[in-house]
Amino acid sequence: MRLGKSHQPLSSDHSSPRGYRGSRQFGAGHVSCVRRPFVASLLAALLITTAASACGSRSTSSRALLGDYDGDGKADLAVFRPPETNWYILPIGRDAAAAAPATRFGEKGDIPMPGDYDGDRKNDLAVYRAAASSWIVLTSGSKKQTTYRIGSSSDVAVPGDYDGDGKTDIAVFAPDGVWSMLTSASNYAQQQTVRLGNPGDIAAPADYNGDGRTDAAVFRPQTATWHLSTWWVPSPTFFGSKFGLPEDIPVPGDYDGDGRADLAVFRPSNARWYIAEANRWTLPEWKYEFQFGLVGDIPVPGDYDGDGRTDIAVFRPPSGTWYILKSGSRFKDSMNVQWGLAGDIPILR
């Protein structure tokens, strides 16, 4: 079953003030598109922030919504500017003039890894400093800065709520397939490990079974297969499913609002999104297919309209513009917001 429309981008026309040829209407919303060169450095950042996010987007009374810095139940727009280590956050639906001043946090080379580390249902600023195997958190409630040690310089940050207590756990994924976690339930003092993955795999943790805990999972580009482990139970279950192509970028999320993350991929070569049904792990079939974005865009899925479902979205590096296709309209209406500059890294958590 295919829902929604195929959204075709327009070609560029640099005679207009923003470099856009125009807008194409989809229901009540619209999206303006411009074709630009691919920015390799931001795609590398995407592989860290998108695939390493716990992408179940449903908000409950005890869990913060991913990317929600003001606690209103909607993901906000946020970018990290590496040269000056500034964070720029725009609450969704607000005018840029009303945004809070930039916050300087981190050092050059840090990777932004915000999350709800103190359990107040608001995102806290945090960075992963791979060179020092350090995780630095600035909590939104107490404004206290704390440093934790975990992993090695070659590890990828994969924060998520692995213990199900409503707080973000600190975690890293090593090239040899070992996941190491400092759980919030232990006050980030107890480290647990699980082995899942091979060299070259892309970490794609999310709550795939809807139990309120992040599952360790990887996407294996060589075979376009997904591998999942419910590692914390007495008898862990391991699944393997083929979905996507080797070139695809994993973008799991709860696109249908059933409380479970769906297998989903973004295809960089044609800017298409393919989303599978959540209950089809053994033989997954795509349920949604959308053409949304342009080659060179960075996928930034999140619940921007607050309906408990993941919205399809992309960030366009040259213009710093966010394009969002709303799940609340059954993926028919879209919006765009200019928030960021060329070279900024969109923060997806």
Side-chain angles (χ1 to χ4, degrees):
M1 178 174 63
R2 180 181 299 181
L3 300 179
K5 299 180 180 180
S6 180
H7 294 247
Q8 300 291 344
L10 302 175
S11 60
S12 61
D13 179 359
H14 299 285
S15 63
S16 62
R18 288 180 173 266
Y20 300 141
R21 181 176 180 180
S23 302
R24 186 167 186 176
Q25 297 293 330
F26 302 114
H30 71 278
V31 59
S32 303
C33 300
V34 57
R35 194 172 295 276
R36 303 279 188 161
F38 175 72
V39 180
S41 61
L42 286 185
L43 180 58
L46 154 75
L47 294 178
I48 295 171
T49 54
T50 300
S53 292
C55 295
S57 65
R58 173 165 291 192
S59 178
T60 68
S61 59
S62 61
R63 181 187 300 177
L65 177 77
L66 296 178
D68 182 8
Y69 293 84
D70 57 4
D72 67 351
K74 300 178 182 179
D76 301 313
L77 309 183
V79 296
F80 178 71
R81 192 159 297 160
E84 59 199 47
T85 66
N86 272 347
W87 298 61
Y88 296 87
I89 301 168
L90 178 65
I92 196 73
R94 297 188 190 178
D95 187 86
T103 301
R104 177 166 292 181
F105 180 70
E107 297 179 358
K108 186 176 181 180
D110 287 352
I111 301 169
M113 281 293 149
D116 185 13
Y117 296 90
D118 58 5
D120 66 352
R121 303 196 68 205
K122 295 180 182 179
N123 255 23
D124 307 307
L125 303 189
V127 295
Y128 176 56
R129 193 164 296 159
S133 302
S134 299
W135 205 290
I136 303 95
V137 177
L138 179 65
T139 53
S140 58
S142 65
K143 303 300 181 182
K144 179 183 178 181
Q145 181 174 313
T146 308
T147 300
Y148 304 93
R149 305 288 181 181
I150 187 173
S152 66
S153 60
S154 60
D155 292 350
V156 173
V158 286
D161 186 7
Y162 295 91
D163 57 12
D165 68 348
K167 298 179 182 180
T168 300
D169 302 314
I170 293 170
V172 294
F173 172 67
D176 61 358
V178 174
W179 299 61
S180 301
M181 304 144 183
L182 294 176
T183 59
S184 55
S186 69
N187 198 28
Y188 303 107
Q190 181 180 349
Q191 181 170 314
Q192 301 184 46
T193 61
V194 61
R195 181 175 291 276
L196 177 71
N198 293 331
D201 288 354
I202 299 173
D207 182 9
Y208 292 96
N209 59 0
D211 67 350
R213 300 180 181 183
T214 300
D215 304 307
V218 296
F219 175 72
R220 188 160 295 157
Q222 296 92 329
T223 56
T225 53
W226 297 66
H227 302 268
L228 162 72
S229 171
T230 55
W231 62 276
W232 58 87
V233 297
S235 299
T237 302
F238 294 86
F239 299 94
S241 299
K242 183 176 178 61
F243 185 75
L245 295 178
E247 68 169 290
D248 292 346
I249 295 172
V251 285
D254 185 8
Y255 295 90
D256 56 10
D258 68 351
R260 295 174 294 177
D262 310 306
L263 301 186
V265 296
F266 174 77
R267 193 155 295 161
S269 62
N270 59 14
R272 283 187 176 272
W273 298 68
Y274 299 90
I275 304 169
E277 293 186 89
N279 60 348
R280 296 294 298 271
W281 257 95
T282 53
L283 293 172
E285 296 180 359
W286 62 267
K287 183 177 181 180
Y288 306 102
E289 177 187 357
F290 296 97
Q291 170 74 51
F292 192 74
L294 296 177
V295 174
D297 287 352
I298 294 176
V300 286
D303 185 8
Y304 298 95
D305 56 10
D307 67 347
R309 292 179 287 181
T310 302
D311 304 312
I312 291 171
V314 296
F315 176 79
R316 189 152 300 151
S319 62
T321 304
W322 301 65
Y323 298 90
I324 301 168
L325 187 60
K326 302 176 184 178
S327 58
S329 66
R330 294 177 63 83
F331 301 107
K332 295 179 181 178
D333 296 343
S334 57
M335 61 179 287
N336 65 68
V337 181
Q338 199 284 322
W339 186 250
L341 299 176
D344 287 353
I345 297 176
I347 303 173
L348 313 183
R349 291 190 52 76

